[in-house]
Amino acid sequence: MANPHAGSGVVTEVADPTDQRAYRDLLGGYVTGVALVTALADGVPHGVAVNSFTSVSLDPPLVSFCAAYSSGTWPVIRDTGRFAVSILAEDQEPVSRVFARRGVDRFGDPATRDRFVAAPSGIPILRGSLGWLDCTITALHDAGDHELVLGRVTAMSRAVPGRPLLYFRGGYARLEG
Ligand SMILES: Cc1cc2nc3c(=O)[nH]c(=O)nc-3n(C[C@H](O)[C@H](O)[C@H](O)COP(=O)(O)O)c2cc1C
């Protein structure tokens, strides 16, 4: 079949969604923020960096993120039934890097040590972030190689003025101007 968009100037070339390179290239052009998802399990803090965090519903207030089944940290967070989200500011790339690395003490690294305070739930949230949300897990949905997590917001900060850390085309980015 002929490409229906040929000549429209909208879609240049049709790609196969099972072509993982093409899939990553396309979706990597959808810019996101970066957040930490954290939890407290038996008094021990855990956390990962995510770019899949997004708002879902205003009434009731629901947010979501996707956790890879390959994650070692996610099952620990899931078992607590709760999580907190810290929205990273543009100068917090080093924190994101630590929270994406395996085999490091994510809360004890020089880039992250003493930078956390407790949300109302007791879960650590990052000082200097653009805001935080305390959530309870309300639904889990199998989503291919990820689990889609829906959380009800039980407490949150006011927004702090500042500029966000962005993720774009597989790398960190910042707003210009
Ligand atoms: C910018 C960025 C965004 C990420 N987003 C996600 C995400 O949305 N979901 C996810 O499961 N992992 C994401 N990761 C990977 C995790 O941060 C982490 O590397 C991974 O969970 C492995 O650590 P773990 O085994 O302790 O979970 C992201 C990493 C980076 C650097």
Side-chain angles (χ1 to χ4, degrees):
M1 196 174 84
N3 176 359
H5 299 287
S8 68
V10 177
V11 176
T12 50
E13 209 186 313
V14 175
D16 174 3
T18 65
D19 174 347
Q20 295 192 358
R21 183 70 268 161
Y23 189 80
R24 281 171 186 268
D25 285 349
L26 179 63
L27 275 303
Y30 186 65
V31 68
T32 68
V34 184
L36 298 186
V37 169
T38 50
L40 201 59
D42 299 324
V44 180
H46 298 268
V48 285
V50 303
N51 72 330
S52 55
F53 171 71
T54 193
S55 61
V56 174
S57 164
L58 189 61
D59 184 18
L62 299 173
V63 295
S64 76
F65 67 95
C66 292
Y69 281 119
S70 60
S71 166
T73 301
W74 167 236
V76 182
I77 296 177
R78 184 178 51 204
D79 283 356
T80 71
R82 310 193 54 102
F83 63 91
V85 176
S86 301
I87 299 167
L88 297 195
E90 67 175 3
D91 63 347
Q92 293 178 322
E93 178 182 329
V95 177
S96 176
R97 289 188 180 279
V98 169
F99 275 76
R101 203 175 304 146
R102 282 188 171 147
V104 295
D105 177 3
R106 290 181 180 161
F107 292 85
D109 187 275
T112 62
R113 198 171 34 217
D114 302 329
R115 301 228 170 146
F116 287 88
V117 293
S121 62
I123 299 175
I125 45 171
L126 183 66
R127 274 195 289 121
S129 61
L130 297 186
W132 55 264
L133 305 103
D134 233 350
C135 306
T136 54
I137 297 173
T138 57
L140 296 168
H141 184 80
D142 181 53
D145 51 17
H146 281 63
E147 193 160 32
L148 199 156
V149 185
L150 208 58
R152 167 96 191 219
V153 182
T154 57
M156 65 177 207
S157 68
R158 289 207 173 270
V160 172
R163 297 160 70 90
L165 180 63
L166 306 179
Y167 199 66
F168 177 59
R169 294 197 174 138
Y172 293 98
R174 280 158 198 80
L175 293 175
E176 264 182 29

